[in-house]
Amino acid sequence: MVDSPVDRWALPFRPDLTIGWVIQAGEDEPLVRWLRVGGENQWLDAQSGGKVPGQLVLFLQSLPGPPTWVAWGHLLEAEERWKALGARTICDGLFDPPLPIVGSSVDPQRVPRREDLWENRALGSAVGLLRFRNRTPFREVGSRDLRLTAADLHLLVRTQPGLRSLSLRPASARPRPRS
């Protein structure tokens, strides 16, 4: 998924465009043991709706302390028998060591904590950057997978510059392999 370490924030994405997903694991689910570069994983408790093969996936590990970014990858096409549930991913790379949500070089004033900045408030809350009063239950609160919009990824990169090397091009914009 990493095409080049070019900063792609200038690409004309709508802020609410879903460009990927965050797969989160609890402290009792050790992603570092499950994920291998090039390895496929099936997440049966993830939502299947809205997922497009090739979309970016970030893997988030919840710890007893703050969560960390463990790896990145992309979605694979669902096998026919699993189309109704879950998501299939492939791991493209591991962050070694895992990246904290807020990079050590980031000015605390740049951390986006205002509710109106986030397209997906459930994601902001899951990574620990947002505390919001959940007036209406959102489908994604507490779920395995969280929608990642262009605007939210921009906020995440502001807090963790180590995510800049990931490609932001949606699957439809990637070059297709030649036959």
Side-chain angles (χ1 to χ4, degrees):
M1 166 85 29
V2 178
D3 298 321
S4 70
V6 175
D7 188 7
R8 300 190 182 273
W9 310 121
L11 289 177
F13 291 134
R14 287 187 346 258
D16 63 341
L17 176 69
T18 299
I19 59 170
W21 299 86
V22 172
I23 302 284
Q24 57 181 343
E27 57 188 80
D28 60 336
E29 301 173 301
L31 284 178
V32 292
R33 284 194 273 169
W34 294 351
L35 298 173
R36 299 285 175 253
V37 175
E40 294 182 21
N41 290 88
Q42 179 77 33
W43 307 94
L44 295 177
D45 53 351
Q47 305 166 32
S48 61
K51 297 203 170 37
V52 177
Q55 282 181 321
L56 173 68
V57 175
L58 292 175
F59 296 97
L60 179 69
Q61 179 71 64
S62 296
L63 301 169
T68 59
W69 299 115
V70 175
W72 72 94
H74 63 275
L75 287 171
L76 295 173
E77 188 168 349
E79 294 175 25
E80 191 59 41
R81 64 184 173 148
W82 298 112
K83 282 197 186 252
L85 38 111
R88 223 172 102 217
T89 61
I90 190 163
C91 179
D92 293 328
L94 299 168
F95 294 116
D96 189 24
L99 298 176
I101 298 301
V102 179
S104 59
S105 64
V106 174
D107 177 6
Q109 298 297 329
R110 294 185 62 203
V111 176
R113 297 190 188 275
R114 285 192 0 238
E115 212 175 296
D116 61 326
L117 295 176
W118 290 88
E119 288 290 326
N120 184 354
R121 294 180 299 172
L123 174 59
S125 181
V127 297
L129 296 177
L130 179 64
R131 300 282 185 260
F132 73 95
R133 193 175 68 204
N134 192 10
R135 296 172 198 94
T136 308
F138 291 98
R139 181 179 64 178
E140 293 177 276
V141 171
S143 68
R144 164 75 75 190
D145 54 326
L146 298 161
R147 191 172 34 89
L148 180 62
T149 66
D152 292 338
L153 184 56
H154 180 73
L155 294 176
L156 292 173
V157 168
R158 281 178 47 196
T159 61
Q160 178 45 266
L163 296 176
R164 283 191 186 276
S165 63
L166 303 176
S167 171
L168 296 186
R169 285 189 291 165
S172 60
R174 287 199 198 110
R176 302 215 185 272
R178 296 181 186 183
S179 46

